[in-house]
Amino acid sequence: MASIPMNKYWIPHLDIHKKVITQELQYYLGPDATCRPYTREGEDGFLITTPGACLTDEQIDDICLKSKEMWERQAAARSHSNPEKPLKRPLHQPVLISKGSGEGSKRRGRDRRGHISRRPYDEKKDSETSRK
């Protein structure tokens, strides 16, 4: 059996929820169609691989509408879990990745007197335990 040539299309991720496009794509383009996140020229989007033509404007509008509904359901679920603080912008809720320590990063490698310590690690460890 010969393989069918596949076309690849890129669409921007703007207003499109990954879960929605993944669920709806095969409905619109058939069982051989696939979708994955893809960055093109620095812009995030989706790479659609299909044996036929890509999504029509109407299909993309439908996916955007369903994506908006998905985000609204997710925001409603989050606001029910924390009713005291309503979300003003549910799509732009910051997520803490890491928290820097204020003074700690500036003082790395220095001891309390302000100069760089040249003692080996084992000597430092022994002197710290003897102080206690």
Side-chain angles (χ1 to χ4, degrees):
M1 183 172 153
S3 65
I4 300 170
M6 301 294 269
N7 299 315
K8 293 185 178 186
Y9 301 95
W10 177 86
I11 60 171
H13 81 287
L14 189 64
D15 295 332
I16 298 176
H17 193 287
K18 180 183 175 186
K19 192 171 187 177
V20 172
I21 193 167
T22 304
Q23 290 173 345
E24 298 292 317
L25 189 70
Q26 291 182 341
Y27 171 74
Y28 291 123
L29 301 179
D32 295 329
T34 61
C35 177
R36 68 178 181 91
Y38 188 81
T39 302
R40 180 180 166 263
E41 298 177 3
E43 188 176 357
D44 291 335
F46 299 99
L47 183 66
I48 297 172
T49 306
T50 179
C54 195
L55 297 165
T56 65
D57 286 341
E58 292 79 18
Q59 292 168 334
I60 292 173
D61 287 342
D62 189 43
I63 289 171
C64 289
L65 179 66
K66 289 179 181 180
S67 296
K68 183 179 178 185
E69 291 169 357
M70 168 85 70
W71 280 313
E72 288 172 352
R73 283 193 306 268
Q74 289 174 342
R78 279 193 300 264
S79 66
H80 287 308
S81 65
N82 189 2
E84 301 109 30
K85 184 179 175 190
L87 298 173
K88 292 181 183 177
R89 295 186 188 132
L91 303 180
H92 299 92
Q93 184 67 25
V95 176
L96 179 64
I97 302 300
S98 68
K99 189 171 184 175
S101 59
E103 289 293 317
S105 60
K106 294 178 185 175
R107 297 184 62 189
R108 187 177 300 147
R110 295 183 179 266
D111 66 9
R112 291 183 186 149
R113 291 181 292 274
H115 66 277
I116 297 175
S117 175
R118 304 239 187 261
R119 291 184 292 168
Y121 176 74
D122 291 334
E123 288 179 23
K124 286 183 189 177
K125 187 174 156 186
D126 291 340
S127 67
E128 288 176 10
T129 57
S130 64
R131 281 189 233 162
K132 292 180 181 178

